[in-house]
Amino acid sequence: MYALVEAYNPAAVTNVMCRNTISVSWDGWLYDCDFNQMLDLKVASKIKHIKDYNEDILNDRNIIISQHCYGCTAGAGSSCQGTVA
Ligand code: SF4
């Protein structure tokens, strides 16, 4: 964990996948990303399920972050599409 914190790259934050992608569970619940889905951290929005999907409202939410986010922002960054910085 310490190595990830030491490798934090602010430039990677711009392109982390939670800023342009949403994760949907098999039963329709919405998450900022697959990592948050595995931790059962649903989006911080009044829209929490795909049946109520509203892009404008979802775009206005705060992304739930925690220590695992250092995995996306260390070094060249990381996402489903590869590096982000
Ligand atoms: S782990 Fe954190 S930084 Fe990475 S995509 Fe999910 S919410 Fe964003």
Side-chain angles (χ1 to χ4, degrees):
M1 185 70 201
Y2 183 77
L4 287 176
V5 173
E6 284 296 302
Y8 173 71
N9 179 3
V13 174
T14 304
N15 296 319
V16 289
M17 56 187 166
C18 54
R19 300 191 72 172
N20 55 38
T21 306
I22 201 156
S23 177
V24 185
S25 66
W26 67 272
D27 52 357
W29 295 105
L30 303 176
Y31 303 84
D32 298 307
C33 67
D34 294 352
F35 302 106
N36 284 6
Q37 182 178 158
M38 292 303 101
L39 294 169
D40 198 24
L41 299 169
K42 292 182 179 72
V43 289
S45 171
K46 67 180 183 181
I47 305 297
K48 293 187 183 297
H49 197 274
I50 194 71
K51 68 178 169 43
D52 303 316
Y53 187 85
N54 181 302
E55 189 168 339
D56 291 336
I57 293 174
L58 284 164
N59 280 341
D60 196 39
R61 77 189 191 283
N62 289 321
I63 295 168
I64 298 174
I65 58 172
S66 191
Q67 292 185 339
H68 62 282
C69 297
Y70 283 112
C72 294
T73 55
S78 177
S79 75
C80 293
Q81 291 83 34
T83 59
V84 297

